[in-house]
Amino acid sequence: MSADLTPVIAAGTRWLLTAFPPAPGAFSRALAEAQARQAVTLAAGLRYPTALDAELVLLLGPGGSARLDWLTGAEPDGEDDAWRSWVDETLVSWAACLLADASLAADAQRVADRALAGGLTRLVRPGEHEHHAAPLLRHPDLVEPVAALHRAPLLELLENQGAPLA
C-alpha cells in the first residue's frame, strides 16, 4: 500500500471518531484515534494493496461521506468539512467491521501486507483501556449499520485469501 493514502486514512479515522465519539479525556481520545486509524489503515491495505490501486483511488476520488452521514444521521456543519470528501465509504465500513470484531481484525491482519503487521496491536488485541476509550466505536450493535454496508466483500476477500473466518 502506498503512503499516498494518508489523506484517505486520516479522513476515515476522523469520520469514525466524529460518528462514534470516544470517552471523555485526552487519553481516551488518543487511544480511540489509534484504534480507528489502525482499522482504517488495515482496511486500506486490504482494499488498495498496490501502489497502482492507491493512485487510482486518489485520481478518481474516494467518494466522500454523504451516504455515511445520512446513514448515521450526522449533519455536517458546513465549516471545515472539506475533509469529508476524502472519506472512502468502503474503508470506513471495513474498519467498522474490524473494530467490532477483534478476531476478524486478526484474520485481516494475516492477509494484509506484511508492512502493516507490526503496528496493529490496539486493533487486534484490544485491552480494557482500548474498550473503555472507544465504547461506541467498538460496540457491534452501534457500528452495525456502517459495517453492514460492505461486510460481504470484506468477508469474501478474506475467504479467498485463505484466512480462516470465525
Side-chain angles (χ1 to χ4, degrees), residues 140-152:
D141 294 337
L142 296 177
V143 299
E144 178 58 24
V146 173
L149 288 174
H150 299 283
R151 179 183 289 120

Side-chain angles (χ1 to χ4, degrees), residues 51-114:
L52 179 59
D53 294 322
E55 292 298 323
L56 285 173
V57 76
L58 294 173
L59 178 67
L60 299 174
S65 68
R67 183 173 172 201
L68 293 167
D69 292 338
W70 172 81
L71 186 66
T72 59
E75 294 186 24
D77 60 15
E79 293 181 28
D80 189 31
D81 279 341
W83 64 270
R84 290 180 181 276
S85 66
W86 284 97
V87 173
D88 183 312
E89 178 183 301
T90 302
L91 293 187
V92 169
S93 177
W94 286 12
C97 291
L98 300 173
L99 285 160
D101 185 347
S103 66
L104 183 64
D107 290 341
Q109 180 184 14
R110 283 191 286 278
V111 170
D113 183 2
R114 295 293 170 225

